[in-house]
Amino acid sequence: MNACLRQLAALCGLSLRELFRRKDVWVVLALGLLILAPLAELKPYGIGGASRHLHEIALLLIWVASAFIAIGVAGRQFPPEFEHRTIHPMLAKPASRTTLLVGKYLGAWSASALATGSFYLLYGLFAGVKMDLWFPPVFIQAFVLHVGFLTVVTAFSMLGSFCVTPAANLTVSGIVVGGMFAFGEHLEEMTAGHPAPIRALAWLADAIAPHVEFFDLRRRVIHEWGPVGADVAAAVMLYAVVYAVACLAITGWLFRRRTC
Amino acid sequence: MLIPMRASIQSVAATLTLAAAALALGQALPFVFGGRMPRVVGSSLLDQLLGDARLAVSESLILKADEYYHGGVRVDGCTHADHDHEHDHDHEHEQEQEADSGAHADSDPDSEGGHDHEAGASHAERRRHHPWRWINAHIHISEHRHLASNRSQELMPWYWAAARVDPGNLDAWLLAADAINHDLGNPAEALRILQVGIRHNPGSAELELDAARIQLNSFRDIPAARASLERAHTKWKQARETGKDADGHLKMRILFYLCHLAKQRDDTAVLIRYADEARDLGITGGAYDAILKLAEP
């Protein structure tokens, strides 16, 4: 048991080190600073006090950056190991395929969550200093649900890395996540007047594609609507866990069938 | 040793010569070819980047401001522009009531009346039973609420950006001035914005009318208001003559204020002339009734 935990911790540590070695986080932070600092000083028509547009831009940057990091980090976990044949020594150690898969997944998830957490922390400090808004409950809830989003997206991208090439996985995962983010809520209404095959496809997408729009509390944060009820938040987190476990189960099955 | 140094000096000299030639050409071409240059003189970077798409981008920024006005929710059939017009109508109604006493009052900027945004029962029923719809209904806001008037500064970045992207978008100037005047209580800044808008849109009667209303109601500057209204009147007629879309209701509003000022200075001949013009528009009710009341002996 201890050996298994040590192996998981080592795999997580590897993912974290890889994330910070690649400098993605620093680029995002610098970009955010470059965009937000001048905007914070902007007083249109000499009227100050507007803050919602800053919240909107900051949260959009956080969402785009975290999705990009999560898909990238999770999608990069296995393909290089197969390509460089380093998967053999890893499996030759007393580490099962399940441990390796769970360790890699937890590594990708924790690296994405840590990067997103650091974005939220900096954004929270910025909002506190600039707008005197110190970490309201809806902000905390938005972060928690965002971690749920990462749970789903990392599992989905890891599954994709076993199905298609790394570049195709990055593209397909990006399109699916972006598409569901934009249209996931309205799939049924959008295809209502279309022929049956299109409606069937929409129904299938509605049933199996990751409903990442469940985790988006930006509007509530920006426009001060307050947090959602605990039952809704719990249902969304349960969805995230079930979806991630389902993706990992399929990934595990593909991994076991794959000849290294 | 000498050969590489000479080569590097030559390459530096060649680069500097080319850079100087490019700079000289860049400066000389607009003088030589004048108006025949492909880029219009004075056009901005946004013109170059967006071209005719500027208006579409500008209008989407106005829609974004409307979304902010409704707490982040896109509500069809209820816009901040509608509320701007509510200000106008309320104001004309008040003018109608107060024309006899000569007093002026601004309307309540936080009016929420006259809207019905209830969702269909079957749609709500579907949302309740489907787990995905149930989650989305709770996560994503769909209620209808308006931004409190003292938070209208939140709309300003979007109106400002809309005017910057396309200065020809009248709504960007009108809505910004309206929010600053009515909600934030800064008529001087609102008037300044309208004057900048007029500089960008010299043919706009609507901007002149709004400027006149501020001059009249906030500053009691009757000569300036009258001058603005007369310019608005002329511009409306010019727009009609040049075949542009000239809104009859806009002219009716202009004529109402002109009649009101004519009544104040007991200029019956002018009052009757404007009342006749109002009758010729063939629009009844609202401002026309108020004009008839003013024209009564």
Side-chain angles (χ1 to χ4, degrees), chain B residues 83-105:
Chain B
H83 287 262
D84 178 37
H85 293 144
E86 276 175 23
H87 291 316
D88 291 345
H89 297 315
D90 290 350
H91 195 84
E92 276 158 25
H93 184 62
E94 283 164 12
Q95 290 272 354
E96 184 188 338
Q97 288 178 333
E98 293 170 7
D100 294 334
S101 63
H104 300 274

Side-chain angles (χ1 to χ4, degrees), chain B residues 11 16 26 58 85 93 101-102 110 112-113 172-173 184 192 232 239 256 273-274 282 286 292:
Chain B
S11 61
L16 285 174
S58 179
H85 293 144
H93 184 62
S101 63
D110 222 12
E112 290 196 29
W173 304 104
L184 303 174
R192 194 193 67 77
F256 165 76
R273 182 161 56 84
Y274 286 140
L292 287 183

Side-chain angles (χ1 to χ4, degrees), chain A residues 225, chain B residues 66-73 75 78-79 143-146:
Chain A
W225 280 95
Chain B
D66 262 329
E67 204 178 292
Y68 270 45
Y69 182 65
H70 290 105
V73 182
V75 180
C78 171
T79 64
E143 292 164 42
H144 185 209
R145 111 183 156 180
H146 290 168

Side-chain angles (χ1 to χ4, degrees), chain A residues 1 14 20 30 33 48 70 95 130 134-136 153 167 180 182 221 235-236 243-244 250:
Chain A
M1 185 67 185
L14 272 175
F20 290 101
L33 197 71
K130 198 74 199 165
W134 293 99
F135 299 98
V153 168
M180 287 303 285
V221 176
V236 171
Y243 197 93
I250 300 169

Side-chain angles (χ1 to χ4, degrees), chain A residues 137-138 140-142 144-145 214-217 220 225-238, chain B residues 134-141 143:
Chain A
V138 67
I140 306 294
Q141 196 181 51
V144 172
L145 290 199
F214 289 170
F215 307 94
D216 179 17
L217 287 192
R220 287 181 175 275
W225 280 95
V228 293
D231 54 340
V232 180
V236 171
M237 291 308 281
L238 180 68
Chain B
W134 179 80
I135 291 174
N136 270 323
H138 284 85
I139 293 283
H140 301 292
I141 301 291
E143 292 164 42

Side-chain angles (χ1 to χ4, degrees), chain B residues 230-276:
Chain B
E230 281 168 356
R231 280 196 299 274
H233 190 233
T234 310
K235 286 176 182 180
W236 189 91
K237 281 205 278 195
Q238 284 170 349
R240 167 60 66 87
E241 283 160 11
T242 52
K244 286 182 190 163
D245 185 28
D247 177 15
H249 291 277
L250 172 64
K251 188 178 183 188
M252 189 65 85
R253 284 160 60 207
I254 296 166
L255 289 173
F256 165 76
Y257 282 98
L258 282 169
C259 286
H260 177 63
L261 293 182
K263 176 87 173 176
Q264 272 194 340
R265 59 179 193 276
D266 283 332
D267 193 342
T268 315
V270 170
L271 177 58
I272 289 170
R273 182 161 56 84
Y274 286 140
D276 287 345

Side-chain angles (χ1 to χ4, degrees), chain A residues 1-221:
Chain A
M1 185 67 185
N2 276 345
C4 183
L5 285 176
R6 265 204 312 277
Q7 285 165 349
L8 287 177
L11 289 164
C12 281
L14 272 175
S15 296
L16 286 172
R17 272 195 291 276
E18 194 213 337
L19 173 74
F20 290 101
R21 200 172 53 232
R22 286 179 65 89
K23 299 182 179 65
D24 294 354
V25 178
W26 311 118
V27 170
V28 172
L29 287 174
L31 185 70
L33 197 71
L34 268 174
I35 293 172
L36 289 175
L39 274 178
E41 295 306 315
L42 182 74
K43 283 187 177 176
Y45 300 127
I47 291 163
S51 60
R52 291 185 183 181
H53 66 295
L54 294 176
H55 286 297
E56 176 145 9
I57 293 165
L59 282 171
L60 180 69
L61 281 173
I62 290 174
W63 272 90
V64 171
S66 74
F68 178 74
I69 288 170
I71 292 171
V73 169
R76 280 197 304 268
Q77 291 298 313
F78 282 101
E81 306 282 8
F82 287 117
E83 194 181 329
H84 301 129
R85 299 185 180 281
T86 45
I87 195 84
H88 297 296
M90 290 184 96
L91 289 172
K93 302 267 181 194
S96 68
R97 291 189 181 214
T98 309
T99 308
L100 195 59
L101 177 66
V102 173
K104 290 270 188 191
Y105 172 73
L106 287 177
W109 176 83
S110 55
S112 314
L114 190 70
T116 306
S118 62
F119 297 154
Y120 267 87
L121 182 68
L122 285 175
Y123 161 57
L125 291 173
F126 172 77
V129 170
K130 198 74 199 165
M131 305 153 213
D132 203 23
L133 203 68
W134 293 99
F135 299 98
V138 67
F139 180 89
I140 306 294
Q141 196 181 51
F143 172 65
V144 172
L145 290 199
H146 201 142
V147 172
F149 163 79
L150 298 173
T151 308
V152 170
V153 168
T154 42
F156 186 76
S157 178
M158 197 164 270
L159 170 61
S161 72
F162 276 85
C163 300
V164 289
T165 61
N169 180 34
L170 198 68
T171 310
V172 171
S173 298
I175 289 171
V176 170
V177 169
M180 287 303 285
F181 210 86
F183 307 114
E185 191 187 351
H186 307 290
L187 272 175
E188 194 187 336
E189 289 94 328
M190 281 169 64
T191 54
H194 287 77
I198 292 177
R199 273 187 282 128
L201 276 176
W203 180 86
L204 194 68
D206 195 40
I208 64 169
H211 276 274
V212 287
E213 81 278 5
F214 289 170
F215 307 94
D216 179 17
L217 287 192
R218 284 179 303 150
R219 198 179 286 168
R220 287 181 175 275
V221 176

